[in-house]
């Protein structure tokens, strides 16, 4: 009984009411404004210099690499120009040791090696062609890059971007900590390792995963208007949205096209309300933060995203296990237990280890509605070494996990709702009947049951949105968002490489250089190079 009562008390602490949601939205709007006025604010509102979103007619073959936080994804994307695409993809977990490597080189070498094996496995012709070409060019200056893969690098950490393929790391988040990378250009770090392996790859664009998600959603979603917001709910959380240039009061240093009157801003909302003006702050949140690598930073993210939800739950469970009067995962008398066997928790259970509880089990808990919670109980056994958990144990686990998950979804609605209100689209006649489109990506929003439904429920409670407004908001998964988005931005980058000679010019030059070398063998080798169109909105490379 003590367990049930204690569970109730804890669940209440994670309650995030409609009134709280509204207070949160007001503060979010205030911090949006602050970030538009000046730099150095908690929500950075980083200008991306991307001033337009795609419309689905873009074409070409590109490489994309996504360093998320948990996984490294390498893919190639063929944009077909009709809202559709084909994607080839490989994925690897980022080893924990590399997240805290001594030098940035170790991490970027790992990425380059994965690009190497991906190209050899899926684009061997292209690779071999490149090698052959290199061998035939004895003069390195005669080498031209028109057959090089343009790569969009999705790097989901805060960077100060100063060019389409140049950005300096501001700080690590999500448990990464490689001090020697701070302040360095992450594209240059990657290009260096790619060049060491002699790969035909140019890091053409640096992409934040949120911007990529926004781009991908705009490319694939039908309808007259593009998406307003791209949002991530994965290891971390963040969003990028389209803001009117006239609202951006702080100076914009880079070059950009003013014709659309808009620019995509990367909010870095993971750091919304670091000062804790309005965010809920239980003793469990406090403990998580104080034991994290970056106390006082990413305070919104620490209440919302996949990396942290499991850890909050774990901290709650540890506090319950320390209270001997509560009897969680513990009974001396097997008759207390409907499985008639003694419940124990192994000392090596993940519950006793920092980051030892993956948020994924919270999805299992939320999904299990069987009368005896059999699935969850098996999962507690297999994932967390809790032997023969009782029904009461599973009920407590499920109730607390669900409260943490629900609070996360309702906090997510604060961010989404505030940005919808900031856009003014709900009252903009130009929007007409078109839904306000939002692309989302990340394992949490994709797999946690009813995460979007819970977001919608909270959106309905927001003043200025309501039931009617919430119905006009369309939140859709941007499937493969980071890959497609990175490809789209690499395409934009390729079309910006104006100063480079066109492919035709390069080819002419290559031929004349080859002729100068007066070798028939070399010339014929050069002639085997397929003809190439300009990189502009066409096939940027030939595979
Ligand atoms: P990344 O952030 O690297 O792009 P993901 O979007 O896959 O990767 O997010 C990984 C995060 O999502 C991890 O923190 C993991 O614990 C969490 N996660 C994975 N599956 C689930 C799930 N079914 N329910 C809740 N969280 C999940
Ligand atoms: Mg991701």
């Amino acid at each position: 009984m003590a367990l049930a009562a204690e569970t109730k008390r804890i669940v209440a602490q994670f309650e995030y009411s409609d009134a709280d949601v509204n207070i949160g939205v007001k503060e979010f709007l205030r911090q949006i404004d602050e970030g538009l006025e000046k730099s150095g604010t908690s929500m950075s509102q980083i200008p991306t210099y991307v001033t337009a979103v795609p419309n689905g007619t873009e074409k070409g073959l590109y490489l994309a690499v996504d360093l998320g936080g948990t996984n490294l994804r390498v893919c190639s994307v063929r944009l077909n120009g009709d809202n559709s695409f084909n994607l080839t993809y490989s994925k690897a977990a980022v080893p924990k040791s590399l997240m805290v490597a001594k030098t940035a080189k170790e991490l970027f070498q790992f990425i380059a090696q994965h690009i190497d094996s991906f190209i050899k496995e899926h684009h061997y012709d292209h690779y071999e062609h490149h090698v052959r070409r290199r061998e035939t060019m004895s003069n390195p200056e005669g080498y031209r890059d028109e057959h090089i893969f343009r790569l969009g690098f999705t790097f989901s950490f805060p960077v100060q971007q100063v060019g389409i393929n140049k950005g300096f790391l501001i700080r690590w988040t999500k448990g990464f900590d490689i001090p020697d990378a701070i302040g360095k250009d992450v594209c240059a770090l990657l290009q260096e390792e790619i060049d060491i392996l002699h790969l035909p790859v140019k890091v053409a664009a640096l992409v934040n995963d949120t911007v990529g998600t926004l781009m991908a959603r705009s490319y694939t979603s039908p309808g007259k208007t593009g998406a307003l917001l791209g949002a991530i709910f994965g290891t971390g959380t963040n969003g990028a949205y389209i803001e009117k240039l006239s609202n951006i009061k702080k100076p914009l240093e880079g070059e950009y096209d003013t014709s659309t009157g808009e620019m995509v801003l990367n909010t870095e909302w993971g750091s919304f309300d670091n000062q804790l003006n309005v965010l809920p702050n239980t003793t469990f949140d406090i403990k998580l933060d104080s034991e994290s690598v970056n106390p006082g930073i990413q305070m919104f993210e620490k209440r919302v995203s996949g990396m942290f939800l499991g850890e909050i739950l774990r901290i709650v469970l540890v506090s319950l296990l320390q209270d001997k009067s509560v009897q969680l995962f513990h009974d001396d008398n097997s008759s207390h237990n409907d499985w008639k066997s003694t419940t124990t928790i192994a000392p090596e259970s993940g519950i006793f280890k920092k980051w030892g509880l993956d948020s994924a089990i919270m999805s299992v808990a939320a999904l299990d509605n069987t009368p005896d919670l059999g699935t969850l109980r098996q999962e507690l056994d297999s994932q967390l070494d809790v032997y023969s958990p009782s029904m009461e144990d599973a009920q407590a686990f499920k109730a607390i996990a669900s409260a943490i998950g629900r609070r996360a979804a309702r906090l997510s609605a604060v961010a989404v709702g505030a940005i919808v209100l900031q856009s003014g689209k709900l009252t903009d006649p130009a929007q007409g009947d078109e839904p306000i489109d939002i692309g989302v990506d990340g394992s949490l929003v994709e797999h946690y049951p009813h995460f979007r439904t819970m977001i919608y429920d909270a959106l309905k409670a927001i003043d200025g949105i309501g039931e009617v407004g919430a119905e006009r908001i369309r939140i859709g998964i941007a499937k493969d968002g980071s890959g497609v988005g990175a490809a789209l931005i690499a395409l934009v980058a390729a079309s910006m490489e104006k100063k480079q000679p066109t492919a035709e010019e390069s080819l002419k030059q290559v031929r004349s250089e080859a002729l100068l070398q007066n070798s028939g063998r070399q010339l014929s080798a050069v002639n085997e190079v397929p003809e190439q169109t300009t990189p502009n909105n066409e096939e940027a490379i030939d595979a």
Side-chain angles (χ1 to χ4, degrees), residues 73-84:
R73 298 175 175 89
V74 180
C75 62
S76 58
V77 183
R78 184 175 290 279
L79 303 166
N80 299 322
D82 57 356
N83 299 99
S84 80

Side-chain angles (χ1 to χ4, degrees), residues 66 68-71 73 234-236 306-307 358-360 363 442-444 447-448:
D66 176 5
T70 301
N71 298 304
R73 298 175 175 89
T235 311
M307 171 164 179
D358 192 310
S359 308
S363 289
S443 286
L444 182 64
H447 303 304
Y448 190 94

Side-chain angles (χ1 to χ4, degrees), residues 247-299:
N247 287 342
I248 307 175
K249 301 287 175 356
K250 61 184 173 189
L252 292 170
E253 275 141 23
E255 266 178 52
Y256 58 97
D257 169 15
T258 55
S259 64
T260 61
E262 297 175 330
M263 184 181 285
V264 176
L265 293 184
N266 166 15
T267 62
E268 287 298 335
W269 76 35
S271 265
F272 163 59
D273 201 22
N274 280 346
Q275 49 280 71
L276 298 181
N277 290 338
V278 300
L279 284 178
N281 200 27
T282 67
T283 51
F284 313 109
D285 295 303
I286 293 168
K287 193 164 162 59
L288 180 142
D289 180 53
S290 70
E291 288 173 1
S292 68
V293 293
N294 52 358
I297 296 170
Q298 302 291 106
M299 295 305 249

